[in-house]
Amino acid sequence: DCGRKANSTAVWRDVHGACIAEREFRLAQICALHLIVHAEELEPMIRLYEASGHVDELCTLLENGLGLERAHMGMFTELAVLYCKYRPTQIMDHLKLYWSRVNIPKVIRACEAAHLWPELVFLYVHYDEFDNAAQTIIAHSADAWEHASFKDIIVKASNVELYYKALRFYLNEQPLLLSDLLAVMMPRIDHTRVVSMFVKSDNIPLIKPYLVSAQATNNKAVNEAFNDLLIEEEDFVGLRNSIDNHDNFDAIGLAQRLEKHELLEFRRIAAHLYNQAKRWRQSLTLSKKDKLYKDAMTTARVSGSVEIAEDLLRYFVESGNAACFSACLFTCYDIVRSDVVMELAWRHGLANEAMPYFINLVREYQVKVDHLVEEVGELKVK
Protein backbone atom coordinates (compact mmCIF):
# COMPACT_ATOMS: atom_id res chain seq x y z
CA ASP A 1 0.00 0.00 0.00
CA CYS A 2 2.87 2.34 0.74
CA GLY A 3 4.36 1.53 -2.64
CA ARG A 4 1.13 2.41 -4.41
CA LYS A 5 0.89 5.70 -2.55
CA ALA A 6 4.52 6.54 -3.27
CA ASN A 7 4.16 5.49 -6.95
CA SER A 8 7.94 5.65 -7.31
CA THR A 9 10.14 3.25 -9.26
CA ALA A 10 12.78 3.29 -6.52
CA VAL A 11 10.18 2.43 -3.86
CA TRP A 12 8.71 -0.36 -5.96
CA ARG A 13 12.24 -1.73 -6.48
CA ASP A 14 13.00 -1.76 -2.75
CA VAL A 15 9.66 -3.32 -1.83
CA HIS A 16 10.08 -5.92 -4.59
CA GLY A 17 13.54 -6.86 -3.30
CA ALA A 18 12.18 -7.29 0.21
CA CYS A 19 9.31 -9.49 -1.02
CA ILE A 20 11.76 -11.72 -2.92
CA ALA A 21 13.96 -12.02 0.16
CA GLU A 22 10.91 -13.14 2.17
CA ARG A 23 9.75 -15.39 -0.68
CA GLU A 24 6.44 -13.53 -0.93
CA PHE A 25 6.13 -14.07 -4.66
CA ARG A 26 2.51 -12.94 -4.95
CA LEU A 27 3.36 -9.58 -3.46
CA ALA A 28 6.63 -9.49 -5.41
CA GLN A 29 4.68 -9.89 -8.63
CA ILE A 30 2.46 -6.93 -7.79
CA CYS A 31 5.57 -4.81 -7.33
CA ALA A 32 7.33 -6.22 -10.38
CA LEU A 33 4.43 -5.41 -12.71
CA HIS A 34 5.09 -1.75 -11.97
CA LEU A 35 8.77 -2.19 -12.73
CA ILE A 36 8.94 -4.33 -15.88
CA VAL A 37 7.15 -1.68 -17.94
CA HIS A 38 10.41 0.28 -17.64
CA ALA A 39 12.95 -1.27 -20.02
CA GLU A 40 15.93 -0.29 -17.82
CA GLU A 41 14.45 -2.17 -14.84
CA LEU A 42 13.82 -5.41 -16.70
CA GLU A 43 17.32 -6.90 -16.98
CA PRO A 44 18.36 -6.31 -13.33
CA MET A 45 15.11 -7.95 -12.22
CA ILE A 46 15.72 -10.97 -14.47
CA ARG A 47 19.24 -11.35 -13.06
CA LEU A 48 17.79 -11.18 -9.53
CA TYR A 49 15.26 -13.94 -10.17
CA GLU A 50 17.77 -16.16 -11.99
CA ALA A 51 20.39 -15.72 -9.30
CA SER A 52 17.81 -16.73 -6.69
CA GLY A 53 16.70 -19.73 -8.73
CA HIS A 54 13.13 -18.51 -9.10
CA VAL A 55 12.80 -19.06 -12.82
CA ASP A 56 9.21 -20.32 -12.78
CA GLU A 57 8.05 -17.24 -10.87
CA LEU A 58 9.95 -15.03 -13.33
CA CYS A 59 8.29 -16.65 -16.33
CA THR A 60 4.87 -16.31 -14.70
CA LEU A 61 5.59 -12.64 -14.01
CA LEU A 62 6.54 -11.89 -17.61
CA GLU A 63 3.59 -13.88 -18.97
CA ASN A 64 1.24 -11.79 -16.87
CA GLY A 65 3.03 -8.64 -17.90
CA LEU A 66 2.49 -9.22 -21.64
CA GLY A 67 -1.11 -8.11 -21.27
CA LEU A 68 -0.19 -4.72 -19.78
CA GLU A 69 -0.97 -1.65 -21.79
CA ARG A 70 2.66 -0.50 -21.47
CA ALA A 71 4.19 -3.85 -22.44
CA HIS A 72 7.26 -3.29 -24.61
CA MET A 73 9.52 -5.31 -26.93
CA GLY A 74 11.98 -6.11 -24.14
CA MET A 75 9.36 -8.07 -22.22
CA PHE A 76 8.43 -10.25 -25.19
CA THR A 77 12.10 -10.73 -26.04
CA GLU A 78 13.28 -11.62 -22.53
CA LEU A 79 10.42 -14.09 -22.08
CA ALA A 80 11.45 -15.75 -25.36
CA VAL A 81 15.04 -15.97 -24.12
CA LEU A 82 13.88 -17.50 -20.85
CA TYR A 83 11.81 -20.06 -22.72
CA CYS A 84 14.90 -20.95 -24.77
CA LYS A 85 16.87 -21.56 -21.60
CA TYR A 86 14.31 -23.18 -19.32
CA ARG A 87 11.12 -24.09 -21.20
CA PRO A 88 12.08 -25.06 -24.76
CA THR A 89 8.71 -26.71 -25.40
CA GLN A 90 6.95 -23.35 -25.08
CA ILE A 91 9.20 -21.20 -27.24
CA MET A 92 7.63 -22.06 -30.62
CA ASP A 93 4.11 -21.16 -29.50
CA HIS A 94 5.41 -17.89 -28.07
CA LEU A 95 7.22 -17.03 -31.31
CA LYS A 96 4.20 -17.83 -33.47
CA LEU A 97 2.13 -15.39 -31.44
CA TYR A 98 4.63 -12.61 -30.87
CA TRP A 99 7.41 -12.90 -33.48
CA SER A 100 6.70 -9.36 -34.66
CA ARG A 101 7.19 -7.95 -31.15
CA VAL A 102 10.48 -9.61 -30.19
CA ASN A 103 14.03 -8.53 -30.90
CA ILE A 104 14.65 -11.27 -33.48
CA PRO A 105 18.49 -11.10 -33.58
CA LYS A 106 18.67 -11.53 -29.79
CA VAL A 107 16.23 -14.45 -29.80
CA ILE A 108 18.13 -15.99 -32.73
CA ARG A 109 21.29 -16.04 -30.62
CA ALA A 110 19.38 -17.60 -27.72
CA CYS A 111 17.87 -20.32 -29.94
CA GLU A 112 21.24 -21.08 -31.45
CA ALA A 113 22.84 -21.40 -28.02
CA ALA A 114 20.04 -23.73 -26.91
CA HIS A 115 20.18 -25.78 -30.13
CA LEU A 116 16.53 -25.08 -30.90
CA TRP A 117 16.83 -25.57 -34.65
CA PRO A 118 13.15 -25.48 -35.78
CA GLU A 119 12.65 -22.26 -33.81
CA LEU A 120 15.86 -20.85 -35.29
CA VAL A 121 14.61 -21.59 -38.82
CA PHE A 122 11.27 -19.96 -37.99
CA LEU A 123 13.01 -16.78 -36.87
CA TYR A 124 15.35 -16.68 -39.88
CA VAL A 125 12.35 -16.95 -42.20
CA HIS A 126 10.50 -14.10 -40.48
CA TYR A 127 13.67 -12.03 -40.49
CA ASP A 128 14.00 -12.63 -44.28
CA GLU A 129 17.27 -14.51 -43.76
CA PHE A 130 16.35 -17.33 -46.12
CA ASP A 131 19.96 -18.31 -46.83
CA ASN A 132 20.64 -18.88 -43.13
CA ALA A 133 17.35 -20.72 -42.74
CA ALA A 134 18.23 -23.12 -45.56
CA GLN A 135 21.73 -23.70 -44.21
CA THR A 136 20.34 -24.40 -40.75
CA ILE A 137 17.90 -26.97 -42.11
CA ILE A 138 20.65 -28.71 -44.09
CA ALA A 139 23.05 -28.72 -41.12
CA HIS A 140 20.41 -29.96 -38.63
CA SER A 141 18.02 -31.90 -40.81
CA ALA A 142 17.12 -34.44 -38.14
CA ASP A 143 15.31 -31.74 -36.16
CA ALA A 144 14.62 -28.91 -38.60
CA TRP A 145 13.82 -30.49 -41.98
CA GLU A 146 10.31 -30.52 -43.39
CA HIS A 147 9.92 -30.92 -47.15
CA ALA A 148 7.18 -28.40 -47.87
CA SER A 149 8.73 -25.61 -45.81
CA PHE A 150 12.20 -26.30 -47.21
CA LYS A 151 10.87 -25.90 -50.75
CA ASP A 152 9.33 -22.56 -49.84
CA ILE A 153 12.58 -21.38 -48.23
CA ILE A 154 15.10 -22.53 -50.84
CA VAL A 155 13.42 -20.73 -53.74
CA LYS A 156 13.78 -17.45 -51.82
CA ALA A 157 17.49 -17.90 -51.11
CA SER A 158 19.72 -15.32 -52.78
CA ASN A 159 22.87 -17.46 -52.88
CA VAL A 160 22.51 -19.74 -55.91
CA GLU A 161 25.21 -22.08 -54.57
CA LEU A 162 22.74 -23.11 -51.89
CA TYR A 163 20.63 -24.74 -54.60
CA TYR A 164 23.36 -27.21 -55.44
CA LYS A 165 24.12 -27.76 -51.76
CA ALA A 166 20.41 -28.52 -51.27
CA LEU A 167 20.49 -31.01 -54.15
CA ARG A 168 23.46 -32.84 -52.60
CA PHE A 169 21.64 -32.83 -49.26
CA TYR A 170 18.53 -34.38 -50.81
CA LEU A 171 20.61 -36.87 -52.77
CA ASN A 172 22.12 -38.11 -49.52
CA GLU A 173 19.06 -37.97 -47.28
CA GLN A 174 15.84 -37.70 -49.33
CA PRO A 175 16.58 -39.05 -52.83
CA LEU A 176 12.95 -39.87 -53.65
CA LEU A 177 11.97 -36.20 -53.24
CA LEU A 178 14.64 -34.85 -55.58
CA SER A 179 12.32 -34.41 -58.54
CA ASP A 180 9.85 -32.43 -56.45
CA LEU A 181 12.63 -30.14 -55.22
CA LEU A 182 14.04 -29.68 -58.72
CA ALA A 183 10.60 -28.71 -60.02
CA VAL A 184 10.48 -25.60 -57.81
CA MET A 185 14.13 -24.72 -58.40
CA MET A 186 14.09 -25.19 -62.17
CA PRO A 187 13.82 -21.50 -63.21
CA ARG A 188 17.03 -20.55 -61.39
CA ILE A 189 19.38 -23.52 -61.67
CA ASP A 190 22.01 -24.24 -64.31
CA HIS A 191 20.75 -27.40 -66.05
CA THR A 192 24.21 -28.35 -67.32
CA ARG A 193 25.65 -28.21 -63.82
CA VAL A 194 22.78 -30.21 -62.32
CA VAL A 195 23.12 -32.94 -64.94
CA SER A 196 26.88 -33.06 -64.45
CA MET A 197 26.39 -33.48 -60.70
CA PHE A 198 24.10 -36.47 -61.09
CA VAL A 199 26.09 -38.05 -63.91
CA LYS A 200 29.19 -38.05 -61.70
CA SER A 201 27.30 -39.72 -58.87
CA ASP A 202 25.58 -42.13 -61.29
CA ASN A 203 22.11 -41.13 -60.12
CA ILE A 204 20.50 -39.87 -63.32
CA PRO A 205 17.44 -42.21 -62.98
CA LEU A 206 16.46 -40.34 -59.81
CA ILE A 207 15.85 -37.12 -61.74
CA LYS A 208 14.05 -38.48 -64.81
CA PRO A 209 10.91 -36.30 -64.27
CA TYR A 210 13.17 -33.25 -64.05
CA LEU A 211 14.92 -34.19 -67.29
CA VAL A 212 11.57 -34.53 -69.06
CA SER A 213 10.57 -31.03 -67.94
CA ALA A 214 13.99 -29.52 -68.61
CA GLN A 215 14.00 -30.79 -72.20
CA ALA A 216 11.77 -27.83 -73.04
CA THR A 217 14.96 -25.70 -72.84
CA ASN A 218 16.63 -27.94 -75.48
CA ASN A 219 19.78 -27.99 -73.36
CA LYS A 220 22.52 -30.27 -74.76
CA ALA A 221 23.52 -31.82 -71.43
CA VAL A 222 19.88 -32.50 -70.52
CA ASN A 223 19.11 -34.04 -73.92
CA GLU A 224 22.15 -36.31 -73.87
CA ALA A 225 21.54 -37.43 -70.27
CA PHE A 226 17.89 -38.19 -71.03
CA ASN A 227 18.78 -40.06 -74.22
CA ASP A 228 21.35 -42.15 -72.34
CA LEU A 229 18.74 -42.97 -69.71
CA LEU A 230 16.24 -44.07 -72.36
CA ILE A 231 18.88 -46.30 -73.95
CA GLU A 232 19.59 -47.84 -70.56
CA GLU A 233 15.85 -48.44 -70.07
CA GLU A 234 15.58 -49.80 -73.64
CA ASP A 235 12.77 -47.35 -74.36
CA PHE A 236 13.20 -46.94 -78.12
CA VAL A 237 9.83 -45.17 -78.56
CA GLY A 238 10.77 -42.50 -76.03
CA LEU A 239 14.23 -42.16 -77.56
CA ARG A 240 12.79 -41.64 -81.05
CA ASN A 241 10.44 -38.93 -79.74
CA SER A 242 13.26 -37.25 -77.85
CA ILE A 243 15.50 -37.20 -80.93
CA ASP A 244 12.75 -35.85 -83.20
CA ASN A 245 11.64 -33.10 -80.81
CA HIS A 246 14.95 -31.95 -79.30
CA ASP A 247 17.90 -31.69 -81.68
CA ASN A 248 20.61 -30.21 -79.47
CA PHE A 249 22.86 -33.24 -78.90
CA ASP A 250 25.75 -35.08 -80.53
CA ALA A 251 23.74 -36.91 -83.19
CA ILE A 252 26.68 -38.67 -84.89
CA GLY A 253 28.15 -39.85 -81.59
CA LEU A 254 24.77 -41.27 -80.57
CA ALA A 255 24.30 -42.93 -83.95
CA GLN A 256 27.71 -44.61 -83.71
CA ARG A 257 26.77 -46.01 -80.31
CA LEU A 258 23.35 -47.20 -81.42
CA GLU A 259 24.50 -48.92 -84.61
CA LYS A 260 26.19 -51.53 -82.41
CA HIS A 261 23.19 -51.98 -80.09
CA GLU A 262 21.86 -55.49 -79.72
CA LEU A 263 18.22 -54.42 -80.23
CA LEU A 264 17.02 -53.89 -83.79
CA GLU A 265 14.88 -50.83 -83.01
CA PHE A 266 17.89 -48.94 -81.67
CA ARG A 267 19.85 -49.73 -84.81
CA ARG A 268 16.90 -48.31 -86.79
CA ILE A 269 17.22 -45.12 -84.75
CA ALA A 270 20.92 -45.01 -85.64
CA ALA A 271 19.98 -45.14 -89.34
CA HIS A 272 17.41 -42.40 -88.71
CA LEU A 273 20.09 -40.22 -87.12
CA TYR A 274 22.39 -40.74 -90.09
CA ASN A 275 19.50 -39.65 -92.32
CA GLN A 276 19.07 -36.46 -90.30
CA ALA A 277 22.79 -35.81 -90.67
CA LYS A 278 22.53 -36.54 -94.45
CA ARG A 279 24.92 -39.44 -94.18
CA TRP A 280 22.84 -41.48 -96.58
CA ARG A 281 25.29 -44.27 -97.33
CA GLN A 282 25.93 -45.04 -93.66
CA SER A 283 22.17 -45.18 -93.09
CA LEU A 284 21.71 -47.47 -96.10
CA THR A 285 24.50 -49.76 -94.95
CA LEU A 286 22.78 -50.23 -91.58
CA SER A 287 19.35 -50.80 -93.12
CA LYS A 288 20.66 -53.35 -95.62
CA LYS A 289 22.61 -55.15 -92.93
CA ASP A 290 19.44 -55.58 -90.84
CA LYS A 291 17.32 -56.29 -93.95
CA LEU A 292 15.17 -53.24 -93.27
CA TYR A 293 14.53 -52.71 -96.94
CA LYS A 294 11.59 -50.35 -96.53
CA ASP A 295 13.79 -48.04 -94.43
CA ALA A 296 16.51 -48.29 -97.08
CA MET A 297 14.09 -47.29 -99.86
CA THR A 298 12.81 -44.36 -97.79
CA THR A 299 16.41 -43.21 -97.23
CA ALA A 300 17.15 -43.39 -100.95
CA ARG A 301 14.05 -41.37 -101.79
CA VAL A 302 14.72 -38.71 -99.10
CA SER A 303 18.32 -38.36 -100.25
CA GLY A 304 17.16 -37.29 -103.72
CA SER A 305 20.35 -38.82 -105.15
CA VAL A 306 20.09 -40.67 -108.47
CA GLU A 307 23.30 -42.54 -107.74
CA ILE A 308 22.14 -43.77 -104.31
CA ALA A 309 18.74 -44.89 -105.60
CA GLU A 310 20.24 -46.78 -108.56
CA ASP A 311 22.86 -48.40 -106.34
CA LEU A 312 20.03 -49.68 -104.14
CA LEU A 313 18.28 -51.08 -107.23
CA ARG A 314 21.46 -52.93 -108.21
CA TYR A 315 21.75 -54.29 -104.66
CA PHE A 316 18.25 -55.79 -104.89
CA VAL A 317 19.04 -57.24 -108.31
CA GLU A 318 22.31 -58.78 -107.13
CA SER A 319 20.69 -60.23 -104.02
CA GLY A 320 17.90 -61.75 -106.10
CA ASN A 321 15.18 -59.78 -104.31
CA ALA A 322 12.74 -59.14 -107.18
CA ALA A 323 9.90 -57.93 -104.93
CA CYS A 324 12.06 -55.22 -103.34
CA PHE A 325 13.34 -54.26 -106.80
CA SER A 326 9.75 -53.58 -107.85
CA ALA A 327 8.93 -51.76 -104.59
CA CYS A 328 12.03 -49.60 -104.93
CA LEU A 329 10.97 -48.56 -108.44
CA PHE A 330 7.68 -47.36 -106.98
CA THR A 331 9.30 -45.58 -103.99
CA CYS A 332 12.07 -43.91 -106.00
CA TYR A 333 10.04 -43.39 -109.17
CA ASP A 334 11.00 -39.71 -109.56
CA ILE A 335 14.71 -40.34 -109.02
CA VAL A 336 15.80 -43.39 -111.03
CA ARG A 337 16.53 -43.11 -114.75
CA SER A 338 14.33 -45.16 -117.06
CA ASP A 339 17.18 -46.41 -119.24
CA VAL A 340 19.00 -47.82 -116.21
CA VAL A 341 15.80 -49.56 -115.06
CA MET A 342 15.24 -51.02 -118.52
CA GLU A 343 18.78 -52.33 -118.74
CA LEU A 344 18.63 -53.96 -115.29
CA ALA A 345 15.25 -55.54 -116.03
CA TRP A 346 16.38 -56.87 -119.42
CA ARG A 347 19.71 -58.25 -118.23
CA HIS A 348 18.31 -59.98 -115.14
CA GLY A 349 14.94 -61.16 -116.38
CA LEU A 350 12.93 -58.74 -114.25
CA ALA A 351 10.61 -57.45 -116.96
CA ASN A 352 7.47 -58.45 -115.06
CA GLU A 353 8.66 -56.69 -111.89
CA ALA A 354 9.55 -53.57 -113.88
CA MET A 355 6.36 -53.53 -115.94
CA PRO A 356 4.28 -51.41 -113.46
CA TYR A 357 7.04 -48.80 -113.56
CA PHE A 358 7.11 -48.76 -117.36
CA ILE A 359 3.30 -48.60 -117.63
CA ASN A 360 3.26 -45.57 -115.37
CA LEU A 361 6.17 -44.05 -117.29
CA VAL A 362 4.46 -44.53 -120.67
CA ARG A 363 1.25 -43.06 -119.28
CA GLU A 364 3.17 -40.05 -118.03
CA TYR A 365 4.85 -39.56 -121.40
CA GLN A 366 1.51 -40.00 -123.20
CA VAL A 367 -0.04 -37.22 -121.13
CA LYS A 368 2.89 -34.96 -121.91
CA VAL A 369 2.69 -35.72 -125.66
CA ASP A 370 -1.07 -35.11 -125.71
CA HIS A 371 -0.55 -31.81 -123.99
CA LEU A 372 2.11 -30.80 -126.53
CA VAL A 373 -0.12 -31.80 -129.46
CA GLU A 374 -2.90 -29.68 -128.01
CA GLU A 375 -0.62 -26.67 -127.62
CA VAL A 376 0.74 -27.04 -131.20
CA GLY A 377 -2.81 -27.25 -132.54
CA GLU A 378 -3.74 -24.04 -130.73
CA LEU A 379 -0.70 -22.30 -132.18
CA LYS A 380 -1.61 -23.39 -135.75
CA VAL A 381 -5.13 -22.02 -135.33
CA LYS A 382 -3.71 -18.65 -134.28
Side-chain angles (χ1 to χ4, degrees), residues 44-169:
M45 184 182 298
I46 291 173
R47 286 197 297 270
L48 174 62
Y49 273 85
E50 285 188 310
S52 305
H54 305 311
V55 174
D56 291 339
E57 290 77 7
L58 175 59
C59 290
T60 302
L61 166 62
L62 289 176
E63 288 167 356
N64 292 333
L66 297 184
L68 296 175
E69 185 178 339
R70 295 171 62 189
H72 53 82
M73 179 180 285
M75 295 165 60
F76 293 93
T77 302
E78 293 302 335
L79 181 56
V81 172
L82 288 172
Y83 281 158
C84 289
K85 291 180 180 178
Y86 307 111
R87 296 182 181 179
T89 57
Q90 292 180 246
I91 180 62
M92 182 60 87
D93 291 336
H94 178 73
L95 292 176
K96 287 178 178 178
L97 287 173
Y98 302 116
W99 67 266
S100 62
R101 303 191 67 178
V102 302
N103 182 338
I104 292 182
K106 185 172 183 178
V107 182
I108 282 176
R109 291 193 294 272
C111 288
E112 195 168 7
H115 293 183
L116 300 175
W117 309 121
E119 291 79 3
L120 183 60
V121 170
F122 179 87
L123 289 169
Y124 276 137
V125 169
H126 285 83
Y127 201 48
D128 292 338
E129 290 282 348
F130 298 107
D131 290 24
N132 287 334
Q135 288 178 333
T136 301
I137 292 173
I138 292 171
H140 305 284
S141 59
D143 299 314
W145 176 81
E146 199 278 319
H147 181 56
S149 63
F150 185 77
K151 286 196 301 179
D152 294 338
I153 290 168
I154 196 65
V155 295
K156 298 175 183 176
S158 57
N159 183 1
V160 178
E161 288 300 317
L162 272 176
Y163 294 166
Y164 307 105
K165 187 174 182 180
L167 289 176
R168 286 189 287 270
F169 161 65

Side-chain angles (χ1 to χ4, degrees), residues 88-277:
T89 57
Q90 292 180 246
I91 180 62
M92 182 60 87
D93 291 336
H94 178 73
L95 292 176
K96 287 178 178 178
L97 287 173
Y98 302 116
W99 67 266
S100 62
R101 303 191 67 178
V102 302
N103 182 338
I104 292 182
K106 185 172 183 178
V107 182
I108 282 176
R109 291 193 294 272
C111 288
E112 195 168 7
H115 293 183
L116 300 175
W117 309 121
E119 291 79 3
L120 183 60
V121 170
F122 179 87
L123 289 169
Y124 276 137
V125 169
H126 285 83
Y127 201 48
D128 292 338
E129 290 282 348
F130 298 107
D131 290 24
N132 287 334
Q135 288 178 333
T136 301
I137 292 173
I138 292 171
H140 305 284
S141 59
D143 299 314
W145 176 81
E146 199 278 319
H147 181 56
S149 63
F150 185 77
K151 286 196 301 179
D152 294 338
I153 290 168
I154 196 65
V155 295
K156 298 175 183 176
S158 57
N159 183 1
V160 178
E161 288 300 317
L162 272 176
Y163 294 166
Y164 307 105
K165 187 174 182 180
L167 289 176
R168 286 189 287 270
F169 161 65
Y170 264 65
L171 179 59
N172 293 329
E173 299 195 14
Q174 302 293 336
L176 298 182
L177 296 174
L178 267 168
S179 293
D180 196 26
L181 179 66
L182 282 164
V184 300
M185 292 166 51
M186 189 174 294
R188 297 188 63 187
I189 54 178
D190 180 351
H191 300 303
T192 302
R193 182 171 176 182
V194 171
V195 170
S196 176
M197 179 190 304
F198 285 92
V199 167
K200 288 179 181 177
S201 61
D202 195 21
N203 284 297
I204 284 293
L206 287 174
I207 60 169
K208 183 178 179 179
Y210 157 76
L211 293 175
V212 173
S213 300
Q215 271 204 304
T217 63
N218 203 22
N219 178 277
K220 183 177 181 180
V222 171
N223 291 340
E224 291 184 346
F226 187 56
N227 291 342
D228 288 345
L229 180 58
L230 293 173
I231 294 171
E232 185 178 336
E233 294 177 349
E234 298 185 349
D235 181 3
F236 56 85
V237 175
L239 181 60
R240 183 67 174 258
N241 291 334
S242 173
I243 288 169
D244 289 342
N245 296 320
H246 306 96
D247 59 359
N248 188 12
F249 62 95
D250 181 9
I252 299 303
L254 181 59
Q256 289 172 343
R257 287 172 53 199
L258 292 177
E259 67 177 294
K260 301 172 185 174
H261 201 282
E262 60 182 5
L263 296 183
L264 175 63
E265 287 297 331
F266 285 99
R267 297 197 295 274
R268 288 188 69 189
I269 293 174
H272 176 63
L273 286 168
Y274 283 131
N275 280 348
Q276 290 183 333

Side-chain angles (χ1 to χ4, degrees), residues 31-48:
C31 301
L33 289 175
H34 290 84
L35 292 171
I36 59 176
V37 294
H38 302 286
E40 68 275 8
E41 296 292 333
L42 186 58
E43 287 196 21
M45 184 182 298
I46 291 173
R47 286 197 297 270
L48 174 62

